[in-house]
Amino acid sequence: MAHFLIVEARFYIDLADELAAGAIEVLEAEGHTFERASVPGALEIPGAMMIGYRNPKAYDGYIALGVVIRGETSHYELVAGESARALMDLTLDPGLAIGNGIQTVENSDQAWARANRSDKNKGAGAARAAMALVALRQSLGTQ
């Protein structure tokens, strides 16, 4: 059994709730434990994960959940690119096992299609990705 930290960007509350529900269903079905942390938006997710990493509770894996919807300005590219880059940096050094469930979409319909547990269920996908990385780490005997 592993212990996960789910970090949720709450900018789109209903979408965040649906992504989290998908992730939680998968974790509970596999017998894993988790804690949840909320942040305002996708840019804050990597920072929250680093805070979790430095916490003596020692999480085995991390799940990033959020939605970035393209708007009328270039802010979308900044948020989408920088949050993804920062999560990748955390997977490489210090080597966190992260399932990236930050959805970068053109509109609300695409966001809901990806968040809905009855459709693409990307929250569950992010949880499965984090679980796979934790299992890989364990099978290789590394920390």
Side-chain angles (χ1 to χ4, degrees):
M1 177 170 30
H3 189 56
F4 291 86
L5 178 61
I6 301 170
V7 181
E8 310 166 43
R10 303 293 297 168
F11 191 81
Y12 298 103
I13 295 169
D14 293 342
L15 288 162
D17 288 342
E18 187 69 7
L19 286 167
I24 290 166
E25 283 178 356
V26 168
L27 293 174
E28 288 179 341
E30 295 294 324
H32 298 297
T33 59
F34 62 90
E35 292 179 46
R36 294 170 72 176
S38 296
V39 296
L43 282 176
E44 291 79 31
I45 291 174
M49 287 186 173
M50 184 54 94
I51 291 168
Y53 169 71
R54 291 183 174 149
N55 186 321
K57 290 181 182 179
Y59 300 100
D60 299 299
Y62 301 80
I63 301 164
L65 301 176
V67 177
V68 182
I69 299 176
R70 184 179 300 278
E72 297 175 358
T73 69
S74 61
H75 188 66
Y76 170 88
E77 284 84 10
L78 174 81
V79 174
E82 289 300 309
S83 61
R85 182 203 50 80
L87 289 179
M88 186 57 66
D89 287 349
L90 290 173
T91 65
L92 299 175
D93 184 20
L96 301 186
I98 299 173
N100 184 351
I102 299 175
Q103 306 306 302
T104 53
V105 298
E106 298 295 321
N107 55 54
S108 181
D109 289 341
Q110 289 178 356
W112 277 108
R114 284 155 181 76
N116 274 331
R117 287 173 282 160
S118 61
D119 200 343
K120 296 185 188 305
N121 199 2
K122 295 295 187 172
R128 287 188 192 98
M131 289 169 22
L133 290 170
V134 168
L136 176 63
R137 180 188 305 140
Q138 292 170 344
S139 73
L140 296 175
T142 61
Q143 293 297 326

